[in-house]
Amino acid sequence: MEKSEKIWMDGKLVPWNKANIHVMTHTLHYGLGVFEGIRCYNSMENGPSIFRLQEHVDRLFQSAVILGIDVPFSNKEIHDAIIQVVLENKLEECYIRPIVFLGDNKMGLNPKGVDVRCAIAAWPWGTYLGEDGLNKGIRVRVSSFTRHHVNISMTKAKACGYYINSILAKAEAYRDGYDEAVLLDPSGYVSEGSGENIFIYSKGKLHTPTLSSSNLDGITRDAVIQICKELDIGIEERNITRDELYIAEEVFLSGTAAEITPVREIDSRIIGKGMKGPITDKIQQTFFKIARGNKSKFSKWLTPI
């Protein structure tokens, strides 16, 4: 990790190496906390601009509501603090991680009365699945691990502890020689990647799992849907079966970290022609044009620094 200079913690900027917590921090032991992943791109016209900042801040607060966490700062205070962190660290392009977590003043499974703390870090972070992945596609396996049932851990929250499931799936895929995992929901339908939403192109239309498939309501997922409307690409949200992945013409993953990453192989089966397909390429190119400020129609998605 390429460290930056300062991290925002509980309303103050502190040096990176001094942004510490106590070993008895509640979230460290039990996993109750919420976070976001946000990217800042160097926009051609406006300089550094944060992609869909307000939507990410809104989802952070929605996640907190779902888990019953009272954030001690307002939506606007967190919004403005994110901008401050990028500015103070003089970052032109970066990944931003706001997190709301429980402190160290109380132990036990009952979170009532535990201090709620907030931190925001930002640092330079390149392509999550590699430049080759963006250009040539990645190899994916269907995980042996199942995504959460919607009433076991409420899946619309982007919660810290939920990612144990993702880590197990990711580690299994990597150990078996793949780049990423795709998880199925408890009913056996395709849910999402370990940290990304998934799309397939088949029979002249793009398809993505419905949000009842134990998947996160991804902000990049929403961007893809809106891009498809702009490009006049048909798109449908529905249940998708595992075997549909194998016979799709194109498959790609979307997410803040992964951006738009094509999939060339799933479970040792070549997808389409084994390379980034034309529909994926078109969506990917449009996404990066928007993120870098080259499509004025989507300028509302960018918050200049």
Side-chain angles (χ1 to χ4, degrees):
M1 179 183 289
E2 185 178 344
K3 298 177 182 179
S4 54
E5 292 183 12
K6 295 180 180 179
I7 291 176
W8 186 94
M9 289 194 76
D10 301 319
K12 297 179 181 179
L13 287 166
V14 299
W16 179 286
N17 290 332
K18 292 186 178 180
N20 301 319
I21 59 172
H22 196 275
V23 71
M24 296 307 290
T25 296
H26 195 281
T27 300
L28 176 63
H29 290 261
Y30 300 121
L32 190 70
V34 297
F35 70 96
E36 278 296 320
I38 313 170
R39 275 197 187 271
C40 177
Y41 292 91
N42 194 359
S43 169
M44 293 294 187
E45 293 186 4
N46 299 316
S49 297
I50 300 176
F51 185 72
R52 304 196 75 175
L53 172 57
Q54 189 59 60
E55 290 92 331
H56 280 286
V57 175
D58 288 345
R59 190 173 64 181
L60 180 73
F61 277 79
Q62 290 163 6
S63 295
V65 168
I66 290 170
L67 296 188
I69 299 171
D70 292 324
V71 184
F73 296 90
S74 70
N75 186 299
K76 187 177 188 304
E77 285 174 319
I78 296 297
H79 176 283
D80 293 348
I82 289 169
I83 294 173
Q84 183 186 13
V85 168
V86 178
L87 275 171
E88 288 287 335
N89 286 295
K90 300 179 178 64
L91 296 167
E92 293 190 350
E93 295 205 336
C94 62
Y95 187 87
I96 306 161
R97 171 53 55 82
I99 183 169
V100 178
F101 61 99
L102 302 189
D104 57 33
N105 64 308
K106 182 184 173 185
M107 263 293 165
L109 292 178
N110 181 6
K112 185 176 176 60
V114 185
D115 293 339
V116 179
R117 303 188 59 191
C118 303
I120 302 166
W123 68 95
W125 195 16
T127 305
Y128 177 59
L129 293 168
E131 287 294 333
D132 267 1
L134 277 182
N135 296 323
K136 298 177 182 177
I138 61 170
R139 299 179 67 246
V140 169
R141 68 155 289 176
V142 175
S143 181
S144 69
F145 295 96
T146 302
R147 220 21 154 188
H148 308 273
H149 185 280
V150 294
N151 204 38
I152 290 175
S153 53
M154 295 172 286
T155 56
K156 294 302 167 280
K158 192 173 176 68
C160 299
Y162 296 179
Y163 279 76
I164 293 174
N165 181 237
S166 292
I167 290 168
L168 291 171
K170 178 81 172 183
E172 176 188 59
Y174 190 77
R175 185 175 62 244
D176 291 348
Y178 293 89
D179 304 301
E180 187 53 283
V182 167
L183 295 95
L184 307 180
D185 71 14
S187 297
Y189 292 105
V190 175
S191 178
E192 60 185 350
S194 69
E196 312 89 4
N197 292 113
I198 187 168
F199 292 82
I200 69 171
Y201 185 74
S202 179
K203 299 179 181 177
K205 186 185 291 186
L206 206 64
H207 308 261
T208 193
T210 175
L211 289 175
S212 60
S213 298
S214 301
N215 47 352
L216 189 69
D217 188 0
I219 290 167
T220 308
R221 175 187 186 273
D222 176 73
V224 169
I225 290 170
Q226 295 196 48
I227 287 169
C228 285
K229 293 176 182 177
E230 171 72 9
L231 298 177
D232 199 27
I233 297 170
I235 185 162
E236 181 181 6
E237 298 177 71
R238 63 175 179 84
N239 288 334
I240 295 173
T241 60
R242 176 178 179 172
D243 46 10
E244 285 185 272
L245 297 178
Y246 302 150
I247 59 175
E249 297 168 49
E250 301 180 35
V251 177
F252 67 85
L253 302 176
S254 72
T256 295
E259 298 162 313
I260 308 294
T261 299
V263 175
R264 71 174 190 270
E265 183 181 325
I266 302 176
D267 292 345
S268 300
R269 294 159 172 88
I270 301 300
I271 304 303
K273 295 182 180 179
M275 62 180 70
K276 178 169 61 175
I279 299 298
T280 303
D281 185 56
K282 197 172 183 180
I283 293 169
Q284 186 190 68
Q285 286 192 41
T286 303
F287 172 81
F288 282 118
K289 283 179 182 177
I290 292 169
R292 300 193 185 284
N294 293 330
K295 287 189 78 70
S296 58
K297 183 175 180 178
F298 292 90
S299 59
K300 64 182 179 180
W301 284 358
L302 301 177
T303 300
I305 299 302

